[in-house]
Amino acid sequence: MPNLKASQWITPAIILGATVGLVAWMYVTEFTLRAHIAVLLVLFAVFLLGIWWSFGTGRGKKGGLKAFAKFLLVSIAAFGAYKLTVRVEGVADGSGMPKVVWRWAKEKGADMAAPVEAMKGGMVADAESAFAAGFRDMTDFLGPLRNGVIPFDEFPLAEDWTAGAAKEIWRRAVGVGWSGFTVKGSIAVTQEERKGEEFVVGYNVLSGEPVWSHGRPAVKEVNNDGMGGPGPRATPVISGDFVYANRAGGILDCLNLLSGEVIWSKDVLEELNAGLPTWGKSNAPLVHNGMVVTSGGKGGDATLAAYDQITGKERWRSGSDNASYSSPVVGTLGGKEQIVSVNKSSVTGHDPASGAVLWRFPWTGSFPRVGQPVIVGDDKVLVTSSYGMGAYLLEVKSSAEHSWEVDYIWETIKALKTKFSSATVIGEYAYALDEGTFSCVSLADGKRIWKDGRYGFGQHIAVGNLMIVQSERGDVVLVEASPEKLIELGRVKALSSKTWNPPCLAGKYLLVRNDEEAVCYELPVK
């Protein structure tokens, strides 16, 4: 390389300075696609530096072409070495930064034995002792109203989480996947993948031992996803003596809660002539009035479909929007009970009996929506998303018989940017992980009150005025829901790797997991 004058270093300094500045700006402002663009910016900067090194250092045209050819050869060799030695295993975190591992490293869950296939017995006695020991059922995704609020008044959580206050009951390795737990009696149910099979697994909530499992072949299209990684996504739902689980590939299974025996199964996507969503089926089925309601997929004949809870016979199908990754909820708006569904490009309200669309709010944009719709009061719905899609507080009104109107009270692009999690409403405020940072927003006008606490792209649930935040890095944090400021009351180092799974609070017992292990804690109560 020839000797360079000071002035010749200006170009690379500008390239490096601009790249570092843009990357820093994206992370400071929490730009949604920062990880993807940061990688592209670095590669582009390397390319520009290669051009400068070849043609901007006084080599002349012939020397510059030779130098540029060397640069291209080195780049090709580096790319080849990269492809031969490492692979991308999903993403490192919710920002989308690729997770790079050695190519010869074992995939998670690849060498894990399948869970047990048969019930071990003793479940009735265990259910009695579990109830006496302070367990309570949590049979649905994010609580009975699917809004992240757990109404356990008989177990008011203590605010003192000093060392040892949260007692670890058991810990065990589990297969990959982003499903959470649901609990009834002494059985905790989740989904996981092991050795190329997706399992719905029933664990003894007292010991953590598996008591039954039901497997299906994993879906190749989901396992090849470069973002979410392999494994099932949806949390199973328990109703009566049955478990309802949406597999990542679109199979809806009804299983016996005590044995894992298949009662009925439906290939929902096939029946609705729909394609598989990009990141697989992620929604928890909704059980209501003897029906199991689930969303569709890409295209197809319906947004939602309902099946008989006992027989699996189709009861209705409705809507024309593609599915999102959110789960339908049921509640009362404008004096009428209805099912609210966040879809790929809309929010819709449906008659539970017939599925008929009562109202539709257009929500344009092609990016995914994951957050749950939260019914607020008698006539409002809060919907949140990331990727610049904004958050809305909708108002739903019945203007006449069989006629409905919907409009938004406020919209915000900057606040409530929930990517994988949902907002939780407590009083007059919404609390959420806004691009990985905990925040409080006023429901009156959508204005941010405060933003603090970098918990990453995790999950959270509320009990009274306390919130349990499952951070993305694995810590479980106890936070007071205060509109004044972030008040962190305690922290437990529960897990040690990327955690996107929603927590489950069964009485005073907290079950958390990620794609490597699960742990159960007994939490201190007042």
Side-chain angles (χ1 to χ4, degrees):
M1 181 174 179
N3 293 326
L4 299 179
K5 300 176 182 179
S7 60
Q8 291 177 297
W9 288 101
I10 294 176
T11 298
I14 291 173
I15 294 171
L16 292 173
T19 302
V20 172
L22 283 171
V23 171
W25 174 81
M26 288 190 296
Y27 276 85
V28 168
T29 59
E30 295 183 339
F31 186 74
T32 303
L33 300 175
R34 55 190 178 272
H36 303 279
I37 296 180
V39 171
L40 293 176
L41 280 174
V42 170
L43 293 175
F44 185 58
V46 170
F47 178 72
L48 291 179
L49 289 172
I51 294 176
W52 165 80
W53 179 78
S54 302
F55 300 104
T57 54
R59 300 175 188 273
K61 182 178 180 180
K62 186 175 181 180
L65 289 173
K66 288 182 178 179
F68 189 65
K70 290 180 181 179
F71 168 74
L72 290 178
L73 288 174
V74 170
S75 299
I76 293 171
F79 180 74
Y82 164 81
K83 295 294 290 184
L84 289 173
T85 58
V86 300
R87 70 173 190 272
V88 175
E89 189 176 75
V91 293
D93 56 36
S95 72
M97 183 62 69
K99 181 181 179 182
V100 179
V101 299
W102 295 117
R103 183 163 292 278
W104 49 85
K106 289 184 178 180
E107 295 183 2
K108 291 181 179 180
D111 57 353
M112 293 186 71
V116 293
E117 294 292 346
M119 174 178 162
K120 291 184 176 179
M123 298 305 296
V124 175
D126 281 348
E128 290 295 328
S129 63
F131 185 85
F135 283 89
R136 289 294 183 271
D137 296 342
M138 181 174 167
T139 57
D140 210 342
F141 174 57
L142 293 179
L145 299 180
R146 299 189 161 198
N147 60 358
V149 177
I150 315 299
F152 287 148
D153 296 334
E154 68 271 37
F155 293 116
L157 296 182
E159 298 176 4
D160 182 10
W161 276 23
T162 53
K167 180 183 177 183
E168 185 175 313
I169 305 301
W170 53 261
R171 180 182 296 268
R172 67 173 298 114
V174 294
V176 297
W178 306 119
S179 171
F181 282 100
T182 45
V183 172
K184 183 174 183 182
S186 65
I187 303 179
V189 185
T190 190
Q191 292 196 80
E192 56 192 77
E193 182 181 323
R194 306 183 183 205
K195 287 187 174 179
E197 279 194 274
E198 285 186 1
F199 291 94
V200 181
V201 189
Y203 289 95
N204 187 313
V205 76
L206 294 168
S207 65
E209 291 298 317
V211 292
W212 57 258
S213 66
H214 179 265
R216 287 187 179 277
V219 179
K220 182 179 179 181
E221 290 85 351
V222 174
N223 282 1
N224 288 340
D225 165 36
M227 290 286 291
R233 281 85 160 101
T235 297
V237 172
I238 303 172
S239 179
D241 293 330
F242 304 103
V243 176
Y244 301 91
N246 257 332
R247 307 302 185 105
I251 302 293
L252 173 62
D253 277 330
C254 172
L255 309 175
N256 184 289
L257 173 63
L258 296 179
S259 65
E261 176 188 3
V262 178
I263 306 301
W264 54 263
S265 293
K266 290 286 182 179
D267 190 332
V268 174
L269 298 185
E270 182 176 286
E271 291 195 1
L272 298 181
N273 300 310
L276 183 68
T278 303
W279 291 284
K281 289 292 291 177
S282 303
N283 71 290
L286 173 67
V287 181
H288 182 65
N289 284 351
M291 293 181 290
V292 185
V293 181
T294 184
S295 63
K298 283 184 177 179
D301 299 336
T303 301
L304 297 178
Y307 300 90
D308 186 274
Q309 184 177 348
I310 305 301
T311 66
K313 181 179 179 180
E314 184 178 314
R315 298 275 288 273
W316 52 257
R317 60 177 66 181
S318 176
S320 58
D321 292 295
N322 289 356
S324 70
Y325 303 93
S326 176
S327 302
V329 305
V330 65
T332 300
L333 291 167
K336 178 177 175 57
E337 185 179 69
Q338 47 195 277
I339 296 171
V340 180
S341 176
V342 171
N343 314 308
K344 183 176 181 182
S345 58
S346 69
V347 185
T348 49
H350 300 256
D351 185 328
S354 65
V357 178
L358 303 175
W359 52 267
R360 182 181 186 275
F361 177 77
W363 195 3
T364 57
S366 60
F367 287 106
R369 293 154 176 85
V370 181
Q372 289 295 101
V374 181
I375 295 177
V376 182
D378 299 327
D379 58 0
K380 298 178 181 64
V381 180
L382 177 65
V383 293
T384 63
S385 183
S386 184
Y387 306 103
M389 296 295 99
Y392 294 87
L393 183 64
L394 306 179
E395 185 175 34
V396 180
K397 293 182 177 181
S398 175
S399 59
E401 187 177 0
H402 306 304
S403 179
W404 292 81
E405 295 179 354
V406 58
D407 202 351
Y408 65 89
I409 298 173
W410 51 256
E411 172 194 12
T412 175
I413 299 296
K414 295 183 178 180
L416 291 176
K417 300 185 296 296
T418 61
K419 186 171 283 187
F420 306 142
S421 58
S422 306
T424 299
V425 172
I426 301 177
E428 300 300 317
Y429 301 92
Y431 299 86
L433 289 167
D434 179 0
E435 278 299 307
T437 303
F438 209 53
S439 66
C440 172
V441 170
S442 170
L443 285 177
D445 54 15
K447 302 296 185 182
R448 180 183 295 151
I449 306 300
W450 53 257
K451 186 171 181 177
D452 193 9
R454 291 186 175 272
Y455 301 128
F457 297 87
Q459 303 280 345
H460 49 82
I461 53 177
V463 187
N465 70 328
L466 300 178
M467 300 191 70
I468 296 173
V469 180
Q470 171 64 73
S471 73
E472 187 179 28
R473 293 186 177 182
D475 288 4
V476 172
V477 187
L478 184 67
V479 171
E480 180 181 335
S482 169
E484 296 181 3
K485 62 179 181 179
L486 174 68
I487 304 175
E488 187 174 311
L489 300 172
R491 182 182 290 256
V492 177
K493 293 189 177 298
L495 302 165
S496 57
S497 63
K498 182 178 68 182
T499 303
W500 291 344
N501 311 63
C504 171
L505 188 64
K508 60 181 179 180
Y509 291 86
L510 177 69
L511 291 89
V512 295
R513 61 157 293 192
N514 56 17
D515 62 341
E516 293 184 359
E517 60 179 347
V519 59
C520 175
Y521 289 99
E522 179 182 354
L523 300 182
V525 297
K526 294 181 181 178

